[in-house]
Amino acid sequence: YRVDLSSVPEIVAITKIEGLDKDIVEHQITELRTVVPAETLVVAISSKSGEHVKELLYDLAKLVDQYVPEEVEVEENEIPI
């Protein structure tokens, strides 16, 4: 089983930002943007405090809506993979 994920949109999330100074978080986002593809969304979230989680979910929903994989025709009695 092999799937090429190189064409699938990505989101990179920095986590556990609660208690960090905003300047530090922004610096980390800036640093990450230099090593990920230009179209990759880089965000910072805190699941503990909920900071930016809702925004991340909205961004993720937009990406999912934009990415519609090609439909595969399935023969009768065939299990799609």
Side-chain angles (χ1 to χ4, degrees):
Y1 181 70
R2 181 191 271 178
V3 176
D4 179 16
L5 298 176
S6 63
S7 64
V8 177
E10 293 179 307
I11 296 178
V12 174
I14 301 170
T15 62
K16 302 186 181 357
I17 64 164
E18 61 276 348
L20 291 179
D21 183 59
K22 289 186 181 204
D23 291 336
I24 293 171
V25 174
E26 286 301 319
H27 176 72
Q28 293 298 321
I29 290 172
T30 302
E31 290 293 311
L32 269 174
R33 285 190 176 132
T34 66
V35 295
V36 298
E39 64 276 359
T40 299
L41 178 62
V42 179
V43 296
I45 65 165
S46 169
S47 56
K48 183 177 181 179
S49 70
E51 186 176 358
H52 303 295
V53 172
K54 187 180 281 188
E55 293 88 345
L56 173 60
L57 292 174
Y58 285 124
D59 290 336
L60 181 59
K62 285 183 212 173
L63 280 178
V64 169
D65 286 343
Q66 291 172 1
Y67 178 75
V68 180
E70 296 178 22
E71 291 190 24
V72 177
E73 291 188 29
V74 178
E75 299 288 328
E76 189 173 333
N77 299 324
E78 183 183 359
I79 297 174
I81 296 178

